[in-house]
Amino acid sequence: MWADSLVLAQLSLFPELASKEGANIDALYWFINIICIVMTVLIFFAIAFFAYKYRRRPHVEAMQIEGSTKLELTWSILPFLVMLIMFAWGAQAYYAAQQPPRNAMEVFVTGKQWMWKVQYPNGGSEINELHVPMNQPVKLTMASEDVIHSFSIPSFRVRHDVVPGHYDSLWFTPSKPGRYRLFCTEYCGLLHSKMVGWVNVMEEREYAEWMSGGGTGGSLSQQGETLFAQYGCSTCHLNDQQGRCPVLRGLYNKPVQLANGQTVLADDAYLRESILEPNAKIAAGFEPNIMPNFKGQISEQNVIQLIAYIKSLAPSQPASQQGPQQAPVVIAPRAQGNNRAGAAQQR
Amino acid sequence: MATIARELPEVEVEPVDYLNVEHGWKSWLFTTDHKRIAFLYLISITLMFFVGGAMAVLFRINLLEPEGIFSPEVYNRLFSMHGIVMVFFFLVPSIPATLANFLIPIMIGAKDLAFPRINLLSWYIYVVGALFTLYAVIRGGVDTGWTFYTPYSSTFANSYVLAAAVGVFISGFSSILTGLNFIVTVHKMRAPGMTWSRLPLFVWSNYATGLIQVLGTPVIAITLLLLAFERVARVGIFDPDIGGDPILFQHLFWFYSHPAVYIMILPGMGVISEIMACFCQKRVFGYNFVAFSSMAIAVLSFVVWGHHMFVTGESLYLAVAFSFLTFMVAVPSAIKVFNWTATMYKGSVSFDTPMLYALGFIGLFTIGGLTGLHLATLGTDVATHGTYFVVAHFHYVMVGGMVMAFLGGLHFWWPKITGRMYPEGWSKFASLIIFIGFNLTFFPQFILGYLGMPRRYQSYPPEFQALNVLSSAGASILGIGYLIPMIYFTWSMFKGPKAGNNPWNAAGLEWQIQSPPTTFNFDTTPVVKEEAYNYGPLEDVVG
């Protein structure tokens, strides 16, 4: 008996809200709920009323009615107009969710069967725990080492799939200190239900203290610099025009002219692809097949460190700040699938 | 003398019908009679329904405890096989292969479907597909979910993915052949006077379903073939590690599987139109609009698949377009609900068992349809995607809708199919149990979904337990609810009281002929001189 009451005591019907953006989603959710309730009650009432009023009685025959075009148009168009409100409101919220503010703090998340690895710009990292400060927009850049995962924080009303082969991102502004659950919401195999963790929202000062406890191996870009030397990147990517490979200083978030005439933005997705599959997009003036494929050689976590290092190479700006023309979130180009003979990997 | 005297009347009383015309297993396994094939299908899909249902009962037991009762390995296989069996081997063939197979030729005044032998072939293909899938179950199951998402299914999963996929691949051809047969039959086999505007709405909805089956099913076949190529030969199609794109799989999969949702619900809508007309003794309100809405659904169903992928990183413009189109497809569904409700207006409404199922359908389908709005809306889809909200939504449509319609239709036409009645008290009781059990099972899942509980979780946080216990309790009631009709239908087949040709006083050609019908349905080809649902002279009081 006590077990039952314990279960009931924990019964919650509506999730806690702990992000600023979530208020809009909740308002929209309740707007749709109310429309649904009104429609359901109307239809149920009409059915109950007709069922009673027109119940079969002896010697009373049904009246044969063909229909009514006016009524049909009314109950097609009116609901559609109401649905247009949902559509526009929902599209607005979705658009906003893809526009991280420029001052968003960046955190990197890598999903793999069956854990979330979190990396901070200061070099610290943790597993299945995410620490974020209050009132500060946070942008997660996410990669998967294996299958599709989905990163979900119900209390923030955010979710995004983490698809292997490219970067995904989402952002939020925590608004309430506390500990909130995070889930993987795309089925990813045996221990899918164990791919869970906690988001810790801390007061700003508390967070600064927690951060200063940070990583032991230097900041994320310093870790990247070590890798840059270790993988021999520095032998070709020299800081003058003499190298056989493009200069990386000041490259981040700048347009790059490609050998095929196209121009791409040197964002995270482009840098990731150029590390793992350099031949996918060759910069104008350089030969293909000079840099080896690093696909399968470098983990997503190391790629994140390397990119952090490349970002820090912006000469005119402090390392922590991002480029001037912060582009809207670009849907990362999918893998091209060419020039990669021999890269196939058997698992 | 005495023995002869006792035997003679029996021989005379029992008229020849499609059931007693021949005996022995050969007369069933080699039959080309659409009614016998429908019966074969009915037995097969009922078996599969109870296989899939048993799995649901088992994983609902697992979810009684936050830590789970079975291992994740077992649980993952249970929900995957539940989905595969229920979607591909019950819901897709349910009404088309049984009730529509039985009724379409009769409703349009034909002797059989256009291709009787292809009809039998489709059943054999279904059986082979089902055997492959059952083989996968017996060997240890598949753990990819019914959606087979890559690269998990193509590279990582260590279960019987191929056997299950081959089963689904094969059964797809059965579905294509059924759809093809219906399309040709409706075009070419209508009796004189049976114009398109006189077709019963059940025929319209199955015609629309046939179009989707023929146009959509090849795509899932191609998709599963590509999946098999990648899994066996490591051809890089979906796995990014060998040059593929995992999202491509989702586009291909949902290009079939969203229209397939309408393969599953459109025939049910047709059943409801027939039941509403009969038990209100009245024309279906707005016949043209109801018929047209089936076709609109069939067309629009092909351009909404992207709403399954709003959180995959789909392009913003694509997402907005898919969201808009999804709202468009809501309109024809709403038209149907409004018209069924309006059909009751000034009718002569009786509450026999089929009508109880039809009213249950309207209520549950309304809730299922309306909660689709949360998922069509981009902002709220992001908050509910991949959670129990989605599970609740599609079970309200598929189980609350389609299974209710299937049972309603089965009760409605049972006297025609078997010539016998079922016990009215028990059937009303069962419909009530099913309605209560269903709501108790799936309503708590809406709440769980917005709370954030993900789908396909073997274990879950303790704060979700109360709602999960409610849901599991409901599932056990629902399970009992489904067993009761199974028992009394079996009883009725042998012992039920004779039904007569038209126990419901229904309009429609199927009620003008003998119960059960003879092998060729009609002695002479009927000539149709009236509209569908001619329950009396039309009074032109258009409001």
Side-chain angles (χ1 to χ4, degrees):
Chain A
M1 225 19 235
W2 66 270
D4 291 344
S5 51
L6 192 71
V7 165
L8 280 177
Q10 288 176 324
L11 179 69
S12 49
L13 297 177
F14 196 75
E16 206 170 347
L17 177 65
S19 79
K20 281 188 178 154
E21 299 74 25
N24 187 30
I25 303 293
D26 276 355
L28 176 54
Y29 178 74
W30 280 110
F31 171 72
I32 302 173
N33 275 352
I34 286 165
I35 301 284
C36 289
I37 292 166
V38 168
M39 289 308 298
T40 309
V41 167
L42 269 179
I43 289 168
F44 281 28
F45 178 79
I47 287 179
F49 178 73
F50 290 161
Y52 175 74
K53 178 127 198 245
Y54 302 113
R55 67 189 182 279
R56 188 164 297 174
R57 275 173 290 196
H59 316 300
V60 182
E61 291 210 346
M63 183 185 274
Q64 301 302 319
I65 303 168
E66 184 161 22
S68 157
T69 308
K70 267 187 210 160
L71 266 179
E72 301 285 350
L73 290 178
T74 310
W75 62 44
S76 304
I77 294 170
L78 274 186
F80 189 67
L81 292 179
V82 177
M83 288 194 282
L84 281 183
I85 302 174
M86 296 175 197
F87 162 72
W89 190 347
Q92 172 269 327
Y94 188 74
Y95 177 75
Q98 298 195 2
Q99 313 294 323
R102 242 194 248 181
N103 64 344
M105 179 187 121
E106 210 171 7
V107 177
F108 301 91
V109 175
T110 308
K112 58 181 182 184
Q113 289 177 323
W114 291 276
M115 56 170 256
W116 297 105
K117 170 103 176 183
V118 177
Q119 289 168 288
Y120 298 94
N122 77 346
S125 67
E126 49 188 340
I127 288 171
N128 293 342
E129 292 275 344
L130 171 66
H131 286 77
V132 287
M134 277 258 292
N135 301 321
Q136 158 71 44
V138 178
K139 179 192 168 199
L140 305 184
T141 298
M142 305 183 291
S144 166
E145 293 275 15
D146 37 51
V147 300
I148 302 177
H149 302 282
S150 190
F151 190 88
S152 149
I153 309 170
S155 297
F156 293 177
R157 316 289 190 263
V158 293
R159 161 180 292 106
H160 204 287
D161 283 2
V162 186
V163 180
H166 74 140
Y167 283 138
D168 288 291
S169 72
L170 60 78
W171 73 277
F172 48 80
T173 312
S175 61
K176 198 173 161 191
R179 215 164 133 75
Y180 308 100
R181 290 190 186 275
L182 70 86
F183 297 109
C184 174
T185 53
E186 181 60 67
Y187 176 69
C188 59
L190 187 66
L191 298 182
H192 171 52
S193 62
K194 310 288 182 200
M195 197 164 161
V196 297
W198 294 94
V199 183
N200 303 275
V201 178
M202 305 164 94
E203 303 279 2
E204 284 95 330
R205 191 177 303 161
E206 201 189 343
Y207 188 75
E209 266 172 44
W210 181 83
M211 262 295 160
S212 64
T216 48
S219 72
L220 203 60
S221 61
Q222 283 165 338
Q223 293 165 358
E225 191 172 6
T226 312
L227 290 171
F228 198 76
Q230 207 176 309
Y231 282 105
C233 313
S234 47
T235 54
C236 296
H237 289 284
L238 303 174
N239 278 332
D240 52 38
Q241 303 295 339
Q242 307 303 313
R244 292 188 298 160
C245 299
V247 175
L248 300 180
R249 181 167 295 278
L251 170 69
Y252 186 69
N253 249 351
K254 296 277 159 41
V256 176
Q257 184 74 40
L258 297 183
N260 65 6
Q262 290 179 329
T263 307
V264 294
L265 188 70
D267 56 4
D268 290 8
Y270 169 77
L271 292 178
R272 177 185 174 281
E273 185 184 41
S274 296
I275 293 169
L276 298 176
E277 303 162 57
N279 291 322
K281 294 194 178 72
I282 295 292
F286 293 91
E287 293 297 315
N289 300 321
I290 290 178
M291 177 172 159
N293 272 328
F294 281 92
K295 190 164 200 165
Q297 313 296 315
I298 296 187
S299 71
E300 294 287 355
Q301 291 160 42
N302 288 351
V303 173
I304 285 164
Q305 291 163 336
L306 281 169
I307 291 175
Y309 170 64
I310 295 169
K311 280 184 193 173
S312 75
L313 291 175
S316 53
Q317 301 160 19
S320 61
Q321 221 174 310
Q322 295 189 351
Q325 71 274 51
Q326 175 65 47
V329 172
V330 177
I331 305 302
R334 311 275 181 221
Q336 299 293 309
N338 51 8
N339 295 340
R340 281 190 288 111
Q345 227 195 320
Q346 290 288 344
R347 280 201 175 85
Chain B
M1 277 303 284
T3 49
I4 291 167
R6 224 179 9 223
E7 270 178 51
L8 270 177
E10 266 184 20
V11 174
E12 279 172 5
V13 165
E14 196 86 3
V16 175
D17 59 53
Y18 80 102
L19 288 170
N20 65 15
V21 66
E22 281 182 287
H23 292 283
W25 60 273
K26 274 187 189 166
S27 74
W28 283 92
L29 293 184
F30 298 116
T31 182
T32 51
D33 181 355
H34 63 106
K35 297 178 289 301
R36 284 192 165 211
I37 297 168
F39 222 105
L40 293 174
Y41 260 120
L42 181 62
I43 294 164
S44 328
I45 68 164
T46 304
L47 282 175
M48 291 307 265
F49 178 77
F50 281 98
V51 169
M55 287 166 181
V57 168
L58 287 175
F59 68 64
R60 277 315 322 172
I61 289 172
N62 177 80
L63 292 170
L64 283 168
E65 289 291 333
E67 276 315 306
I69 290 167
F70 306 126
S71 70
E73 199 175 10
V74 170
Y75 178 83
N76 292 347
R77 284 156 204 250
L78 284 174
F79 79 71
S80 299
M81 298 309 300
H82 166 74
I84 291 170
V85 167
M86 286 304 204
V87 168
F88 296 108
F89 296 96
F90 176 72
L91 286 169
V92 166
S94 59
I95 290 178
T98 58
L99 294 174
N101 210 346
F102 193 99
L103 291 163
I104 282 183
I106 305 179
M107 281 180 163
I108 64 170
K111 286 182 172 147
D112 205 315
L113 286 172
F115 307 116
R117 273 176 288 213
I118 286 183
N119 195 19
L120 181 65
L121 177 66
S122 89
W123 178 72
Y124 275 102
I125 293 174
Y126 169 88
V127 170
V128 173
L131 287 177
F132 262 98
T133 304
L134 289 176
Y135 166 81
V137 176
I138 291 161
R139 286 301 301 268
V142 56
D143 74 331
T144 59
W146 77 278
T147 47
F148 293 106
Y149 269 17
T150 55
Y152 182 71
S153 62
S154 62
T155 303
F156 291 82
N158 289 317
S159 54
Y160 290 84
V161 179
L162 272 184
V166 167
V168 173
F169 176 84
I170 292 173
S171 76
F173 289 93
S174 141
S175 177
I176 293 172
L177 292 180
T178 302
L180 182 78
N181 223 337
F182 288 177
I183 293 171
V184 177
T185 304
V186 173
H187 273 275
K188 303 304 263 184
M189 310 276 286
R190 283 172 287 123
M194 178 54 84
T195 59
W196 286 88
S197 58
R198 287 175 177 173
L199 285 178
L201 289 163
F202 181 72
V203 177
W204 268 111
S205 72
N206 276 286
Y207 176 78
T209 307
L211 290 178
I212 305 178
Q213 286 175 308
V214 169
L215 295 175
T217 317
V219 179
I220 190 80
I222 294 164
T223 313
L224 292 172
L225 209 58
L226 293 175
L227 169 64
F229 276 150
E230 180 163 291
R231 193 168 164 88
V232 176
R234 304 301 302 147
V235 181
I237 301 162
F238 304 123
D239 185 349
D241 262 7
I242 48 176
D245 180 352
I247 302 299
L248 173 65
F249 178 86
Q250 297 183 20
H251 278 291
L252 291 170
F253 181 83
W254 290 114
F255 186 84
Y256 164 75
S257 295
H258 195 80
V261 170
Y262 293 100
I263 294 178
M264 300 177 224
I265 193 68
L266 269 172
M269 293 168 158
V271 168
I272 301 308
S273 296
E274 299 299 319
I275 295 178
M276 292 305 290
C278 172
F279 295 95
C280 297
Q281 291 288 298
K282 194 164 166 293
R283 296 168 65 96
V284 172
F285 193 88
Y287 170 96
N288 290 334
F289 286 87
V290 178
F292 167 78
S293 65
S294 289
M295 299 306 287
I297 286 173
V299 172
L300 287 171
S301 72
F302 278 101
V303 290
V304 297
W305 80 89
H307 68 215
H308 294 270
M309 298 159 64
F310 286 157
V311 299
T312 58
E314 187 172 55
S315 120
L316 177 69
Y317 304 105
L318 210 54
V320 168
F322 277 125
S323 171
F324 184 80
L325 289 163
T326 305
F327 282 112
M328 301 249 317
V329 81
V331 174
S333 300
I335 287 178
K336 285 183 189 280
V337 171
F338 291 132
N339 279 297
W340 292 324
T341 309
T343 301
M344 296 175 76
Y345 174 71
K346 297 207 170 174
S348 170
V349 185
S350 71
F351 300 96
D352 300 282
T353 311
M355 185 63 169
L356 296 185
Y357 278 108
L359 295 178
F361 172 99
I362 297 175
L364 300 180
F365 178 75
T366 298
I367 295 173
L370 285 168
T371 49
L373 297 175
H374 299 82
L375 303 171
T377 306
L378 286 162
T380 41
D381 177 72
V382 171
T384 47
H385 198 98
T387 68
Y388 266 85
F389 192 94
V390 178
V391 176
H393 158 69
F394 72 72
H395 279 86
Y396 262 82
V397 177
M398 299 286 94
V399 186
M402 187 60 167
V403 179
M404 285 294 211
F406 177 68
L407 286 172
L410 206 55
H411 284 85
F412 183 43
W413 284 295
W414 186 258
K416 182 56 60 183
I417 295 171
T418 63
R420 291 174 189 271
M421 291 303 292
Y422 45 82
E424 182 71 10
W426 276 105
S427 63
K428 281 186 169 158
F429 173 70
S431 72
L432 195 68
I433 292 287
I434 290 172
F435 188 80
I436 292 169
F438 175 84
N439 283 298
L440 191 56
T441 309
F442 293 106
F443 199 83
Q445 297 185 2
F446 282 122
I447 301 167
L448 274 174
Y450 204 68
L451 281 170
M453 176 160 168
R455 296 169 68 176
R456 301 173 168 181
Y457 261 33
Q458 176 264 347
S459 58
Y460 56 85
E463 63 263 30
F464 297 154
Q465 189 180 6
L467 290 165
N468 270 294
V469 169
L470 275 181
S471 182
S472 294
S476 60
I477 297 175
L478 190 59
I480 293 167
Y482 287 138
L483 280 173
I484 302 173
M486 177 106 146
I487 294 165
Y488 64 67
F489 275 140
T490 312
W491 171 84
S492 149
M493 206 145 43
F494 303 102
K495 305 266 169 158
K498 298 277 184 200
N501 292 348
N502 191 358
W504 313 119
N505 188 28
L509 281 177
E510 78 269 31
W511 301 106
Q512 316 307 317
I513 59 171
Q514 177 192 313
S515 296
T518 54
T519 300
F520 294 112
N521 306 331
F522 302 93
D523 297 331
T524 51
T525 304
V527 177
V528 180
K529 296 194 178 108
E530 56 188 38
E531 310 296 305
Y533 317 116
N534 187 10
Y535 284 97
L538 198 61
E539 296 176 49
D540 209 7
V541 279
V542 177

